[in-house]
Amino acid sequence: LKPTDYNAKAGPDDVKVQVKVSESCSWSSSSPVTWATITDEAAQSGNANVRIRVDANPGAARSATLIIAGERFTLTQEASKK
């Protein structure tokens, strides 16, 4: 994965994660939280980009670990500026 982590701003944000695997390798991606949504197909094969839509944060800083192609991707988000 590239990158393996990302620090999102408090407002909505979009993240692109590059997956490099062999052409015949199937993989999937999942998010355990509702505020970070995978907007591309969750299951693919070969090299691809995964896009993650991060909702605006209404409160305290938060973080989650997503699984992309069997690897951990750590997403953190700054606290709301309100």
Side-chain angles (χ1 to χ4, degrees), residues 1-4 15-19 21 27-31 38 42 48-52 65-74:
L1 297 182
K2 203 180 223 183
T4 57
V15 185
K16 182 175 99 172
V17 181
Q18 186 179 44
V19 177
V21 296
W27 54 271
S28 63
S29 51
S30 62
S31 172
I38 296 168
N49 290 320
V50 174
R51 292 195 184 276
I52 303 164
T65 301
L66 288 70
I67 302 298
I68 302 172
E71 301 289 329
R72 291 175 184 250
F73 177 81
T74 304

Side-chain angles (χ1 to χ4, degrees), residues 17-62:
V17 181
Q18 186 179 44
V19 177
K20 288 198 171 199
V21 296
S22 66
E23 193 67 31
S24 61
C25 182
S26 314
W27 54 271
S28 63
S29 51
S30 62
S31 172
V33 294
T34 57
W35 53 269
T37 307
I38 296 168
T39 59
D40 291 338
E41 290 184 41
Q44 301 188 31
S45 63
N47 296 336
N49 290 320
V50 174
R51 292 195 184 276
I52 303 164
R53 171 79 176 151
V54 182
D55 294 340
N57 188 350
R62 55 191 179 180

